[in-house]
Amino acid sequence: MKTIPEYFGSHVFNDEVMQKRLPKDIYKRLKAVLEEGGSLDLSVANVVANAMKDWAVGLGATHYTHWFQPMTGVTAEKHESFINPKDHSHVILEFSGKELIKGEPDASSFPNGGLRATFEARGYTTWDPTSFAFIKDQTLCIPTAFCSYDGSALDKKTPLLRSMEVINKQAMRIIKLFPDEGITHVTTTVGVEQEYFLVDKKLYEKRPDLVLTGRTLLGAKPTRGQEMEDHYFGMISPRVSAFMKEVDEELWKLGIFAKTEHKEVAPAQFELAPVFTTTNIAADHNQLTMEVLQKVADRHGFACLLHEKPFEGINGSGKHNNWSLTTNNGINLLEPGKTPQKNARFLLMLTAVIKAVDEYQGLLRVSVASAGNDHRLGANEAPPAVISIFLGDELTGILKAIENDADYQKDCEHSMTIGVDAIPQFPKDATDRNRTSPFAFTGNKFEFRMLGSSLSVSCPNYILNTIVAEAFRQFADYLEAGHDFEHDLHQLLKDTIKKHKRIIFNGNGYTDEWIAEAKERGLLNLAATPDAIPYYITDQNIALFTRHGIFSEAELKARDAIQYETYSKLIHIEAATMIRMVMQEIHPAVSEYEQALLQNEVFKAKIYQSHQKNQLLQELSELNEKLYSNTEALKNSLRQMEQADTKTAALFCRDHIIPQMNKVRECADSLEEITAKKYWPYPDYTDLLYHL
Ligand code: ADP
Ligand code: MG
């Protein structure tokens, strides 16, 4: 049997494989493009493609695909086999440089927000050589970007790659203001903690809501929830353990550094975290991780639920996006330094993030907005919908001292004046891990905690990269123009802290007091997705994205349109599924139970004796009537919504459809509690959550 180091990355066409399989000069030319940018000669691409094919065929691959990330949020692939006819009865296996570099999927089947003119349905996928090709399901997968005929981005990878160039460019301007440390390149790094639920596949298949929408639209609370707080880090059952082992193995083969697996707070909930890596690779890896989780779950008789809120009343699933800035020579720029100089640079980086988050709260909020995540944010389990930064008391104290030109006093022994020339050394803050903060500094990185579990991390990261790059740009403009660096730097820190400190909050984000205080501070509180979407295309944000070449105005408007569309389509599917479940199964089932009760001799006798309707029967029939009429009302509203344009429809969902769905659910869940289990058509919460 192979050891982990032996099979780690065995299905990845990585640097080691390239070095081994490519002629020296070809390898060099490919590396040059990877490191310095530029485009690859077709002659070079041909050799690379051929080597890739030989390697892949050797590992059992028969097909190749351009693997891309359209704006649906999931990945897409169109498989082509390597075979080419040689003559009437023979084939050869071929893969050309042209096929490696460019693909032409039909763009009309993917969301494009109006970017694709009807006369030109073609879209192009182009190889992203910075993310290694890999083999999955006997298919060689080439990570690609997806653009329309005129080069407009139709995917989530393109803006992410653009944003990484932008933050490198602006961060390097800051780096150059400090003594040379051999830094030539800055990149962002990301580690994604992924939460998910496992349910038994047989039970899952009996629930159309889970199958069609990923969450239970109905279901009475189980008599045991998470109140015993006994699930977090608890023992993992052998069945789940076998699943996790296989997930790790599959991920390791794909070169993904899966590291931690544990139980989460809710029953049947788990988390997987990899070791961090470069952002665009982390984004690819997270997409792959979600896919592997679902496939391996299926093999083990489970369904893996990635929905943000599969069960009402039980904690939902999120995704923590740990983000930092790293240099080519391995310096973490968000790690407090050992000397005042390095701490000055650290504080400059830190205040840039503070400024960025404060100025672009709306954008960060919209980057995590989805119908699914609306069930979490602000619901006392995930961070609130208000964005704030947790820094910890020590760092906050230091910033306060800088702002007020005061002595920084951590304890009586260490008291020093804060000037840039004498910024104190301070330990990495490992104390308070405030779990309620949406955006927390955790010692040497920021943890963005508002992401929903099914979200692609691309969008939050290209937004983070871009807004921080913008803060760097403004800082660099100011500092480059000055004469007295130390003085200017001090002034800049002071001014920035003064202006943006309102975004810093170290307290409990779940309380009503905080929401009230946040309002007083002028922070945004965008509760639902339709409230957040308009922030994509405010003047400030169009200016930001176009200035840095991340998006054109047309590309932004397309994304705005897609978000409205996705939101209302999803709610529509949910409402329609709910109506079906009620009309086809629940209403008839309850009626049947009523009938059975009526025919039951004991019941009959009782009713006869008391000359009145039995209490249970009365309750059943009243609730069932109410269920029916509420569902009819929902049906009518849905018809009304179908007439509206996407934006109006989205608002209609928020204001009418969702509240009406809640009403239907309330009746159905009450009925579930009083209907004999053998009549109830669906597995209940206890079945789903406690039978792994
Ligand atoms: P937790 O948040 O659960 O306490 P850790 O602090 O150990 O967990 O780390 C969570 C994630 O943060 C991991 O995926 C880890 O690789 C990632 N991480 C650690 N350092 C960095 C960094 N410099 N940049 C990005 N991610 C990082
Ligand atoms: Mg975490």
Side-chain angles (χ1 to χ4, degrees):
M1 210 176 97
K2 282 197 176 166
T3 63
I4 300 170
E6 277 167 352
Y7 72 77
F8 186 87
S10 63
H11 284 50
V12 184
F13 195 73
N14 56 26
D15 198 60
E16 196 187 328
V17 182
M18 287 190 228
Q19 239 180 73
K20 211 156 61 193
R21 290 187 168 252
L22 295 175
K24 258 209 181 75
D25 61 312
I26 298 284
Y27 173 74
K28 259 199 200 146
R29 285 168 71 181
L30 178 61
K31 276 297 260 197
V33 171
L34 288 187
E35 274 155 24
E36 288 142 38
S39 61
L40 206 61
D41 265 9
L42 195 58
S43 61
V44 177
N46 276 329
V47 181
V48 177
N50 196 49
M52 258 187 200
K53 179 216 52 183
D54 287 345
W55 167 80
V57 169
L59 286 164
T62 51
H63 289 67
Y64 74 90
T65 181
H66 276 197
W67 184 74
F68 59 104
Q69 299 166 24
M71 291 186 275
T72 51
V74 294
T75 56
E77 37 196 78
K78 177 181 160 204
H79 294 203
E80 311 261 3
S81 78
F82 290 125
I83 63 163
N84 262 324
K86 190 172 157 213
D87 53 41
H88 287 309
S89 48
H90 298 90
V91 294
I92 46 168
L93 300 183
E94 275 183 335
F95 183 46
S96 69
K98 208 171 139 249
E99 287 166 315
L100 166 64
I101 292 178
K102 203 167 201 181
E104 285 189 31
D106 181 359
S108 58
S109 350
F110 297 101
N112 57 69
L115 275 179
R116 175 191 53 82
T118 37
F119 63 87
E120 186 44 273
R122 256 182 310 168
Y124 292 107
T125 48
T126 40
W127 183 31
D128 163 24
T130 61
S131 184
F132 297 132
F134 56 90
I135 296 173
K136 162 172 89 73
D137 304 328
Q138 298 180 313
T139 302
L140 170 66
C141 299
I142 320 281
T144 54
F146 180 41
C147 292
S148 75
Y149 180 66
D150 66 354
S152 300
L154 289 177
D155 69 345
K156 307 210 168 198
K157 189 192 256 289
T158 306
L160 184 60
L161 291 173
R162 289 175 185 165
S163 77
M164 289 176 69
E165 276 174 37
V166 167
I167 197 162
N168 170 46
K169 184 172 147 202
Q170 300 299 340
M172 280 309 295
R173 290 177 65 197
I174 302 280
I175 297 289
K176 294 222 169 80
L177 298 166
F178 290 89
D180 185 18
E181 284 184 70
I183 301 171
T184 57
H185 193 95
V186 174
T187 181
T188 56
T189 50
V190 162
V192 186
E193 299 163 67
Q194 174 74 49
E195 291 181 342
Y196 59 92
F197 278 87
L198 287 178
V199 298
D200 193 279
K201 194 165 112 189
K202 287 203 194 75
L203 300 176
Y204 166 89
E205 281 163 353
K206 289 187 185 149
R207 300 236 12 165
D209 48 0
L210 279 180
V211 172
L212 298 175
T213 73
R215 75 179 182 104
T216 52
L217 299 167
L218 309 158
K221 285 198 185 75
T223 48
R224 181 187 183 113
Q226 59 202 48
E227 57 276 75
M228 302 303 285
E229 299 178 334
D230 54 357
H231 193 258
Y232 195 55
F233 281 20
M235 210 187 68
I236 294 173
S237 78
R239 193 177 161 202
V240 174
S241 175
F243 154 82
M244 285 183 172
K245 191 164 167 275
E246 198 176 323
V247 167
D248 281 342
E249 283 167 10
E250 291 290 321
L251 293 176
W252 291 335
K253 278 192 227 163
L254 292 168
I256 297 172
F257 303 97
K259 177 100 175 146
T260 337
E261 305 245 19
H262 65 78
K263 283 196 181 183
E264 263 302 328
V265 243
Q269 192 186 31
F270 306 91
E271 180 187 292
L272 183 150
V275 177
F276 69 96
T277 181
T278 314
T279 304
N280 68 319
I281 294 173
D284 283 359
H285 281 180
N286 182 250
Q287 292 297 135
L288 276 173
T289 300
M290 291 195 283
E291 196 181 316
V292 166
L293 280 170
Q294 287 178 307
K295 280 194 180 145
V296 175
D298 190 65
R299 293 207 281 271
H300 287 253
F302 293 127
C304 172
L305 308 180
L306 293 168
H307 193 281
E308 284 73 18
K309 191 75 178 176
F311 305 100
E312 179 124 328
I314 302 279
N315 261 20
S317 299
K319 175 132 72 182
H320 290 175
N321 190 82
N322 295 273
W323 179 94
S324 191
L325 288 154
T326 309
T327 66
N328 56 301
N329 48 1
I331 302 169
N332 180 346
L333 294 170
L334 287 178
E335 175 109 41
K338 291 217 167 61
T339 62
Q341 273 291 350
K342 285 185 183 158
N343 267 340
R345 186 179 67 198
F346 161 73
L347 286 171
L348 194 57
M349 299 277 160
L350 184 81
T351 45
V353 177
I354 293 170
K355 172 180 159 69
V357 172
D358 186 35
E359 283 180 346
Y360 294 99
Q361 296 162 45
L363 259 189
L364 280 174
R365 174 66 184 88
V366 77
S367 81
V368 297
S370 72
N373 216 16
D374 283 357
H375 296 287
R376 290 175 67 240
L377 297 180
N380 269 12
E381 54 166 65
V386 178
I387 300 203
S388 65
I389 298 181
F390 169 84
L391 283 186
D393 292 337
E394 179 157 36
L395 213 41
T396 308
I398 288 171
L399 296 190
K400 203 182 244 166
I402 295 175
E403 186 195 347
N404 301 321
D405 286 322
D407 281 357
Y408 169 63
Q409 231 163 331
K410 186 171 185 285
D411 46 53
C412 301
E413 277 168 61
H414 300 90
S415 148
M416 47 184 113
T417 309
I418 307 242
V420 173
D421 47 348
I423 282 170
Q425 193 185 323
F426 44 89
K428 177 167 144 175
D429 192 323
T431 46
D432 189 357
R433 305 296 301 272
N434 184 324
R435 290 285 158 195
T436 66
S437 175
F439 202 90
F441 184 68
T442 53
N444 60 0
K445 61 184 189 293
F446 277 98
E447 187 169 340
F448 188 19
R449 303 204 181 104
M450 291 174 97
L451 287 73
S453 47
S454 68
L455 189 73
S456 151
V457 301
S458 293
C459 177
N461 282 297
Y462 68 68
I463 284 179
L464 253 175
N465 291 349
T466 309
I467 64 178
V468 175
E470 171 61 16
F472 286 161
R473 182 188 73 83
Q474 292 183 24
F475 283 6
D477 281 354
Y478 177 79
L479 293 170
E480 284 166 359
H483 300 292
D484 181 347
F485 179 65
E486 303 254 306
H487 171 268
D488 294 346
L489 179 53
H490 191 195
Q491 197 58 45
L492 180 63
L493 288 176
K494 256 180 82 163
D495 293 347
T496 311
I497 295 165
K498 191 165 278 166
K499 192 158 169 209
H500 299 292
K501 66 181 176 191
R502 63 170 186 169
I503 198 79
I504 299 168
F505 176 65
N506 293 328
N508 182 353
Y510 292 171
T511 61
D512 295 338
E513 289 81 32
W514 164 236
I515 301 305
E517 188 187 328
K519 193 171 173 194
E520 244 159 65
R521 292 192 191 186
L523 301 180
L524 288 175
N525 184 3
L526 306 168
T529 296
D531 308 325
I533 299 175
Y535 283 84
Y536 244 127
I537 49 167
T538 58
D539 291 345
Q540 182 202 19
N541 294 337
I542 292 177
L544 170 80
F545 284 122
T546 51
R547 174 195 293 278
H548 292 284
I550 306 291
F551 286 128
S552 65
E553 194 169 333
E555 285 174 321
L556 270 176
K557 292 201 162 139
R559 265 155 225 259
D560 178 79
I562 289 172
Q563 277 220 336
Y564 278 121
E565 205 177 290
T566 309
Y567 176 81
S568 39
K569 272 186 188 164
L570 256 169
I571 306 275
H572 188 279
I573 293 172
E574 288 191 348
T577 306
M578 183 180 244
I579 293 168
R580 278 285 166 86
M581 288 173 78
V582 168
M583 291 307 199
Q584 294 190 336
E585 299 271 6
I586 295 178
H587 186 70
V590 174
S591 309
E592 212 175 302
Y593 180 45
E594 284 178 66
Q595 273 304 313
L597 284 178
L598 275 171
Q599 259 138 58
N600 181 301
E601 293 304 324
V602 181
F603 252 83
K604 264 201 262 182
K606 267 196 199 161
I607 294 167
Y608 178 75
Q609 275 165 11
S610 62
H611 300 286
Q612 55 181 317
K613 225 178 164 188
N614 172 275
Q615 196 187 331
L616 173 61
L617 266 176
Q618 194 164 340
E619 220 177 305
L620 280 169
S621 79
E622 274 170 20
L623 268 172
N624 210 18
E625 279 308 307
K626 203 165 146 202
L627 175 71
Y628 187 88
S629 58
N630 284 345
T631 309
E632 275 296 317
L634 176 61
K635 218 188 271 162
N636 288 332
S637 295
L638 214 51
R639 274 197 213 111
Q640 209 178 320
M641 169 192 161
E642 284 156 8
Q643 311 302 319
D645 64 90
T646 46
K647 187 173 173 180
T648 316
L651 295 173
F652 191 78
C653 283
R654 179 194 66 186
D655 299 335
H656 300 284
I657 303 288
I658 294 176
Q660 279 183 304
M661 286 175 71
N662 290 341
K663 272 184 161 173
V664 172
R665 177 171 192 150
E666 218 174 284
C667 295
D669 292 358
S670 303
L671 279 168
E672 188 183 324
E673 285 176 352
I674 56 169
T675 302
K677 188 159 161 97
K678 68 171 184 184
Y679 287 90
W680 197 256
Y682 302 116
D684 65 18
Y685 271 25
T686 309
D687 300 328
L688 292 166
L689 289 163
Y690 291 97
H691 287 87
L692 280 186

